[in-house]
Amino acid sequence: MTRVAVVLLTAAVIVVFALLAAAAAGTLARLDGATYPAACMRAAATFAAVITLATAVASVLTQYLI
């Protein structure tokens, strides 16, 4: 039960961190003069990159922790 809770909380923290990074990227793109659709695309790309990086790190760490 404890292991499931840790996994769920870690996943929630990663999603929140990805959302914060995406919001920052979109805001910075908009301040740089990008249009709203372009800023949304940069935010989406940043969100996907953070989730992909977190998945890659988790898959590498799983080999050492299990």
Side-chain angles (χ1 to χ4, degrees):
M1 185 69 177
T2 305
R3 197 172 269 220
V4 173
V6 169
V7 169
L8 289 176
L9 286 174
T10 304
V13 168
I14 289 171
V15 169
V16 168
F17 181 72
L19 286 172
L20 288 173
T27 302
L28 289 174
R30 186 67 183 133
L31 289 174
D32 195 35
T35 61
Y36 283 111
C40 287
M41 289 298 293
R42 288 185 190 175
T46 302
F47 180 81
V50 171
I51 294 296
T52 303
L53 181 63
T55 304
V57 169
S59 67
V60 169
L61 288 178
T62 301
Q63 297 174 1
Y64 295 110
L65 296 176
I66 293 180

